[in-house]
Amino acid sequence: QVQLKESGPGLVQPSQTLSLTCTVSGFSLTSYNVHWVRQPPGKGLEWMGRMRYNGDTSYNSALKSRLSISRDTSKNQVFLKMNSLQTDDTGTYYCTRDRYYGGYDYWGQGVMVTVSS
Amino acid sequence: DIVMTQAPLSVSVTPGESASISCRSSKSLLHSNGITYVYWYLQKPGKSPQLLIYRMSNLASGVPDRFSGSGSETDFTLKISRVEAEDVGIYYCGQLLENPTFGAGTKLELK
């Protein structure tokens, strides 16, 4: 069945780089777009960026200078790297998928990231 | 970026009654292909969001038909008929016409 699972460090120091992995199963990365969405504690959803099925990427303009998304189709993984982390980057980070503008029909369980020294 | 504005921020509903949540976009979400790229999600407490409605009025797989979506180019409504305890959570509208954005969310509670 379709699954997405985020993994990465739970704690990152300020000014350091966050590296997260989204491992998918039950579908192909060459058929679906994979997005990263984050949620600060007690707040709403913020779209961060996406890896399109064809390998193209696009980013939230507010994060673009710090953010990079890549993938390894052989491992069914999509990667997020964001540098210069600050305390307001604390939150839960989700990966999710869509195709043909059908909406985000499956989500990972999310990974909580705390930025603190 | 397209701004999505939801109202109200919270709503309290008696089980069995209906509820409506509004969402307004800062730009028309109606594409020239006739599709309106607005979506509705529910985030239950402690869970990941789940898709309820896609492309304004299409019910996502497995979603009860008590949920329905409607609207125009910039004004959208999610209606929940016969609210049940399992409907409690935060409802978000979102758009995919341009770089995705979400509304701030509407918290639904039971009276």
Side-chain angles (χ1 to χ4, degrees):
Chain A
Q1 73 272 27
V2 174
Q3 288 188 328
L4 301 92
K5 186 172 184 179
E6 307 87 350
S7 58
L11 181 65
V12 179
Q13 296 204 339
S15 80
Q16 297 302 301
T17 296
L18 172 66
S19 295
L20 297 177
T21 299
C22 175
T23 302
V24 310
S25 59
F27 68 97
S28 173
L29 293 178
T30 58
S31 296
Y32 283 81
N33 307 317
V34 171
H35 301 243
W36 288 95
V37 175
R38 69 176 180 176
Q39 185 172 38
K43 296 191 176 181
L45 304 169
E46 179 184 32
W47 179 77
M48 301 182 70
R50 76 182 136 213
M51 170 62 71
R52 291 186 184 272
Y53 66 95
N54 63 0
D56 290 344
T57 55
S58 54
Y59 301 104
N60 184 323
S61 56
L63 302 173
K64 189 172 184 177
S65 63
R66 302 196 287 140
L67 185 60
S68 175
I69 297 174
S70 59
R71 72 180 182 180
D72 184 335
T73 55
S74 68
K75 294 183 178 180
N76 294 319
Q77 292 179 324
V78 178
F79 309 104
L80 176 147
K81 287 189 187 303
M82 188 163 69
N83 58 32
S84 304
L85 253 63
Q86 299 302 320
T87 54
D88 59 1
D89 292 313
T90 292
T92 299
Y93 287 70
Y94 298 99
C95 58
T96 181
R97 73 168 198 176
D98 92 286
R99 185 171 72 161
Y100 303 144
Y101 298 94
Y104 301 137
D105 60 348
Y106 283 88
W107 295 68
Q109 64 192 18
V111 59
M112 178 65 195
V113 174
T114 301
V115 181
S116 175
S117 56
Chain B
D1 290 354
I2 297 176
V3 177
M4 305 293 284
T5 304
Q6 289 184 234
L9 294 183
S10 66
V11 61
S12 184
V13 185
T14 300
E17 299 291 306
S18 64
S20 289
I21 299 170
S22 296
C23 177
R24 177 168 291 176
S25 58
S26 61
K27 176 179 177 178
S28 173
L29 300 182
L30 174 62
H31 192 274
S32 56
N33 61 12
I35 297 173
T36 304
Y37 290 109
V38 67
Y39 304 77
W40 290 95
Y41 302 89
L42 165 60
Q43 188 173 30
K44 296 183 179 181
K47 300 294 187 182
S48 303
Q50 60 184 89
L51 179 66
L52 297 175
I53 301 288
Y54 64 96
R55 298 188 215 131
M56 192 171 73
S57 60
N58 297 279
L59 201 63
S61 177
V63 175
D65 60 7
R66 301 183 291 101
F67 292 87
S68 62
S70 63
S72 61
E73 297 185 24
T74 59
D75 289 275
F76 313 100
T77 301
L78 175 72
K79 182 175 181 181
I80 312 166
S81 304
R82 306 180 305 279
V83 168
E84 299 182 3
E86 66 177 19
D87 301 334
V88 165
I90 301 176
Y91 290 80
Y92 295 94
C93 61
Q95 61 81 21
L96 289 179
L97 181 69
E98 297 179 355
N99 271 359
T101 50
F102 296 93
T106 296
K107 187 173 185 179
L108 185 144
E109 300 174 316
L110 297 182
K111 284 184 182 176

